[in-house]
Amino acid sequence: QVQLQESGPGLVKPSETLSLTCSVSGYSISTGYYWGWIRQPPGKGLEWVGSIYGSGSTYYNPSLKSRVTISLDTSKNQFSLNLSSLTAADTAVYYCARGRPGTVGTSYPDYWGQGTLVTVSS
Amino acid sequence: DIQMTQSPSTLSASVGDRITITCRASQSITDWLAWYQQKPGKAPKLLIYKASGLEGGVPSRFSGSGSGTEFTLTISSLQPDDFATYYCQQYSTYLLTFGGGTKVEIK
């Protein structure tokens, strides 16, 4: 059974950098799937942040690209999100997810973490 | 970006009703479309992939259809557990995008 669990701070100050980690169990992150982050502002819809393939290739939402970094730690079977220069607009529930491959470079999430609320406030 | 537009945004229905949710893409995505169900405070759950593929463990009352720019999610007989918000998602391009959601409420 594939399981994902997000961890990180629940409160971050404006202009700072958010760092979240997703711990994966039941599947090796270096094998054939995408690993990504999706966020959902309170009461709103879903926004894809970015993904990384098991080989290390990364794909980012252009609206966030200059601020986002996603990386893999295969030794710990974890992947991470760094989002810099935070503003209140980044307040959201952040989900990590495994992406099943679609066409080249694309995926659709099939397993999700429970989500973690990140609030950007001073 | 490929924009995904869902309609209606809210749907009121009764247990046993047949309901259909529509998702339109701003350009052709062939059949690279998934549907999710989300309940309050929970992560989305994958229902349908590649427009019409039923995810394992999902009841057969859920079905998806369509290709190109127009897609539908149908629930043949609404059950109490189905009251939730539903999202479509295209994966035709690396910039994955979701529809705005359709909330299915009890009539």
Side-chain angles (χ1 to χ4, degrees):
Chain A
Q1 176 75 352
V2 180
Q3 293 185 320
L4 298 94
Q5 177 68 58
E6 305 89 352
S7 60
L11 179 64
V12 190
K13 290 182 168 53
S15 80
E16 292 189 342
T17 295
L18 170 66
S19 294
L20 295 176
T21 296
C22 184
S23 299
V24 180
S25 59
Y27 198 85
S28 170
I29 65 171
S30 58
T31 311
Y33 277 78
Y34 293 81
W35 305 92
W37 295 90
I38 298 108
R39 69 182 185 177
Q40 186 171 36
K44 297 190 176 180
L46 299 162
E47 179 183 34
W48 174 72
V49 174
S51 303
I52 185 166
Y53 193 60
S55 63
S57 299
T58 52
Y59 306 85
Y60 299 136
N61 189 322
S63 69
L64 302 170
K65 187 172 184 178
S66 62
R67 301 195 289 132
V68 175
T69 304
I70 297 175
S71 59
L72 295 174
D73 185 341
T74 55
S75 67
K76 296 181 180 178
N77 216 41
Q78 296 175 337
F79 62 103
S80 298
L81 168 70
N82 278 4
L83 181 64
S84 64
S85 304
L86 293 172
T87 70
D90 296 309
T91 294
V93 174
Y94 285 76
Y95 295 101
C96 62
R98 187 182 82 165
R100 194 180 297 170
T103 185
V104 176
T106 77
S107 62
Y108 57 100
D110 59 356
Y111 286 94
W112 298 64
Q114 65 185 23
T116 186
L117 175 62
V118 175
T119 301
V120 181
S121 176
S122 54
Chain B
D1 305 6
I2 298 178
Q3 308 300 319
M4 306 300 293
T5 304
Q6 285 183 236
S7 60
S9 55
T10 306
L11 190 159
S12 296
S14 302
V15 173
D17 284 353
R18 177 185 180 90
I19 67 164
T20 297
I21 298 168
T22 298
C23 178
R24 289 186 174 88
S26 59
Q27 64 189 71
S28 177
I29 59 170
T30 58
D31 59 358
W32 301 110
L33 184 98
W35 288 96
Y36 299 88
Q37 176 194 67
Q38 186 179 34
K39 296 182 178 178
K42 300 293 187 183
K45 172 188 173 183
L46 176 65
L47 301 174
I48 302 286
Y49 60 92
K50 215 162 185 294
S52 60
L54 189 66
E55 179 68 358
V58 175
S60 60
R61 62 181 180 273
F62 291 91
S63 63
S65 65
S67 66
T69 62
E70 187 151 336
F71 303 85
T72 59
L73 173 70
T74 298
I75 308 175
S76 61
S77 178
L78 202 62
Q79 298 302 300
D81 192 48
D82 302 338
F83 292 96
T85 300
Y86 294 83
Y87 293 94
C88 60
Q89 177 233 327
Q90 68 79 21
Y91 53 103
S92 174
T93 67
Y94 85 92
L95 174 46
L96 312 179
T97 49
F98 292 86
T102 295
K103 185 175 182 179
V104 178
E105 297 181 328
I106 299 174
K107 191 172 185 179

